[in-house]
């Protein structure tokens, strides 16, 4: 939930100041628009020349952006394609989109299951709920998925939440759930603080 008037004002200012943004500011802003679900600003104004954020980004290539910012662009690209499936492609240079996808895939390859994730997976198997772990679904890395029923379980460690209040999830977790739901998946989030066990151990592990 957010104050629409405040967010609208921030978006207007961001568009006005886009010419002064560096690549980090541009990627962050585009990703934020997608996270907030502001498709009227992130998608409907998708003609590059009419969207100052997209226009500025179109001048950068993959060598100008860090991996974390490329991953943000990848998530925006997914958001765009899911919100406007009739359009052929995201209005950014193809080379940039390919680099963004590659950056996301590289991160997925390095994913490792946390102890909490393994505990949840074991319990699900004991209950007879077959699933895959640490795999890619719909362009996103997921913790646990049962493809036949289109159910995804995300085991959310401390890095998914604010420090205070600790039950307030971060934007990356929120956006990922929205992107999966837009593809028809039911998403079950399992917060570390709701799983029985040694909470301090979960805090220390900073499970993903």
């Amino acid at each position: 939930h957010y104050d629409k008037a405040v967010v609208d004002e921030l978006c207007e200012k961001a568009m006005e100041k886009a010419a002064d943004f560096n690549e980090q500011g541009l990627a962050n802003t585009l990703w934020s628009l997608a996270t907030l679900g502001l498709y009227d600003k992130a998608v409907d104004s998708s003609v590059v020349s009419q969207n100052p954020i997209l226009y500025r980004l179109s001048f950068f290539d993959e060598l100008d952006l860090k991996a974390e910012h490329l991953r943000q662009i990848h998530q925006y690209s997914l958001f765009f394609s899911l919100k406007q499936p009739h359009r052929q492609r995201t209005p950014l240079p193809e080379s940039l989109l390919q680099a963004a996808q590659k950056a996301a895939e590289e991160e997925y390859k390095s994913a490792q299951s946390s102890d909490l994730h393994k505990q949840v997976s074991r319990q699900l198997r004991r209950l007879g709920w077959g699933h895959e772990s640490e795999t890619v679904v719909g362009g996103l890395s997921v913790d646990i998925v049962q493809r036949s029923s289109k159910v995804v379980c995300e085991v959310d460690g401390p890095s998914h939440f604010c420090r205070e209040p600790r039950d307030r999830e971060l934007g990356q977790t929120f956006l990922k759930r929205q992107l999966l739901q837009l593809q028809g998946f039911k998403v079950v989030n399992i917060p570390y603080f709701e799983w029985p066990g040694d909470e301090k151990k979960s805090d220390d592990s900073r499970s993903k």
Side-chain angles (χ1 to χ4, degrees):
H1 301 287
Y2 57 83
D3 187 314
K4 186 177 184 303
V6 171
V7 171
D8 285 346
E9 179 69 17
L10 286 172
C11 288
E12 183 177 340
K13 292 299 181 183
M15 295 298 178
E16 291 177 3
K17 297 291 185 180
D20 300 324
F21 287 0
N22 62 15
E23 57 270 26
Q24 177 181 350
L26 293 167
N28 287 345
T29 303
L30 200 60
W31 178 86
S32 296
L33 293 174
T35 300
L36 290 169
L38 300 176
Y39 54 86
D40 58 325
K41 295 177 175 64
V43 174
D44 286 351
S45 298
S46 58
V47 177
V48 170
S49 61
Q50 296 177 6
N51 186 314
I53 304 296
L54 293 172
Y55 180 74
R56 284 278 290 139
L57 265 177
S58 68
F59 286 96
F60 293 96
D61 62 30
E62 62 272 20
L63 300 178
D64 297 316
L65 288 94
K66 295 180 179 179
E68 60 186 294
H69 305 137
L70 287 170
R71 291 193 291 269
Q72 287 180 316
I73 292 173
H74 173 68
Q75 289 190 321
Y76 163 77
S77 178
L78 287 175
F79 175 78
F80 180 95
S81 62
L82 291 168
K83 282 294 187 179
Q84 291 208 349
H86 61 283
R87 295 182 69 96
Q88 292 185 349
R89 58 185 297 276
T90 305
L92 284 171
E94 187 63 31
S95 59
L96 184 58
L97 294 175
Q98 290 178 358
Q101 182 176 346
K102 182 178 179 180
E105 291 172 349
E106 288 298 320
E107 183 186 41
Y108 301 161
K109 290 177 184 177
S110 64
Q112 295 183 343
S113 297
S114 65
D115 289 341
L116 180 58
H117 178 176
K118 292 174 183 177
Q119 290 176 33
V120 173
S121 180
R122 283 196 298 269
Q123 290 299 325
L124 290 174
R125 293 192 189 282
R126 286 170 183 166
L127 293 171
W129 200 75
H131 59 272
E132 299 173 57
S133 285
E134 298 292 4
T135 189
V136 177
V137 170
L140 297 161
S141 175
V142 299
D143 292 336
I144 295 169
V145 61
Q146 188 179 76
R147 294 180 189 270
S148 60
S149 59
K150 296 204 75 171
V151 174
V152 168
C153 291
E154 286 289 284
V155 183
D156 296 337
S159 63
H160 289 256
F161 299 93
C162 298
R163 292 195 177 276
E164 292 293 338
R166 70 170 187 175
D167 61 347
R168 181 175 294 170
E169 66 184 11
L170 297 178
Q172 60 190 21
T173 302
F174 177 80
L175 177 57
K176 184 177 181 180
R177 182 170 64 250
Q178 301 308 305
L179 292 174
L180 288 167
Q181 289 175 338
L182 284 171
Q183 297 179 73
F185 287 92
K186 178 179 180 180
V187 182
V188 179
N189 290 85
I190 303 175
Y192 74 101
F193 49 80
E194 291 185 1
W195 186 260
D198 186 349
E199 188 174 285
K200 183 176 184 302
K201 183 177 180 181
S202 291
D203 272 315
D204 291 342
S205 69
R206 301 296 295 176
S207 58
K208 69 176 195 65

